[in-house]
Amino acid sequence: MNPWLLAVIIAVVVIAVVIKRMIGEPVNARDLFATPVILTGIGVLSLAKMPDLTGTDLTWVITGAALGAALGAFRGATVQLVDKGGVLWQRYTGRTFLTVIGTLAVTAGFSVLAVKMGMHENARPLQLSIGVSFLGESLMVGRRGLASGIPFAPARTRRIHDVSRLRQ
């Protein structure tokens, strides 16, 4: 797939997730984990396709992924969780956005250090970085949600109409 098209798709998905969470949305496991798992998977596949990957690259990628997940969990600790209509809802707060700014600075500093220490610049796919960060956030929100005792929202289901009734 064209790298620019993939970047645009990822940007649209990330923006959509952030907007939904700014407004507030019910928390259900599928929505909480689908985007981070998909982005992480795309990042891992991109990494696997890189021809000149070295042990140094892998060390920095794994360390960066752990850092990204930890920073995502830190961000997840700032997400507001409330009971709305008997189910758990989440909403980003001002503190969440301050945390985003701080974590972007830390991640940028880490990336500069990794490259100065021998990591290839293209050895850390953006999808992987975003995916593990959202995964860390989702794990924290999920843990906090379970600890709250408020039930998660049921997954939205697609309505499949019974066409056999239309023929009668």
Side-chain angles (χ1 to χ4, degrees):
M1 180 182 279
N2 180 329
W4 287 105
L5 177 62
L6 185 59
V8 168
I9 291 169
I10 290 168
V12 168
V13 168
V14 169
I15 290 168
V17 168
V18 170
I19 289 172
K20 283 173 48 180
R21 291 184 182 169
M22 280 175 51
I23 296 167
E25 68 175 339
V27 178
N28 72 58
R30 186 182 75 202
D31 288 348
L32 194 61
F33 290 103
T35 300
V37 168
I38 290 168
L39 287 173
T40 301
I42 291 170
V44 168
L45 285 174
S46 297
L47 196 60
K49 291 179 181 179
M50 290 186 181
D52 299 336
L53 205 61
T54 66
T56 301
D57 294 333
L58 285 175
T59 300
W60 282 103
V61 166
I62 291 167
T63 305
L67 176 64
L71 292 172
F74 181 63
R75 186 176 62 246
T78 68
V79 173
Q80 181 183 37
L81 298 177
V82 295
D83 183 335
K84 191 171 185 180
V87 296
L88 188 66
W89 276 60
Q90 67 177 334
R91 192 174 76 76
Y92 280 4
T93 64
R95 283 184 28 199
T96 307
F97 287 103
L98 288 174
T99 304
V100 167
I101 293 167
T103 59
L104 286 173
V106 170
T107 303
F110 178 84
S111 295
V112 168
L113 177 65
V115 170
K116 289 211 179 280
M117 298 298 289
M119 178 180 175
H120 290 102
E121 285 190 47
N122 64 345
R124 189 162 178 224
L126 184 59
Q127 309 91 308
L128 181 62
S129 299
I130 294 170
V132 296
S133 177
F134 272 128
L135 188 58
E137 176 184 324
S138 295
L139 288 168
M140 177 59 77
V141 168
R143 185 186 72 73
R144 289 178 56 221
L146 289 172
S148 75
I150 304 167
F152 281 36
R156 287 175 268 141
T157 59
R158 294 183 182 155
R159 294 182 184 204
I160 300 173
H161 298 285
D162 185 2
V163 293
S164 64
R165 292 188 307 161
L166 297 175
R167 293 184 194 155
Q168 297 175 357

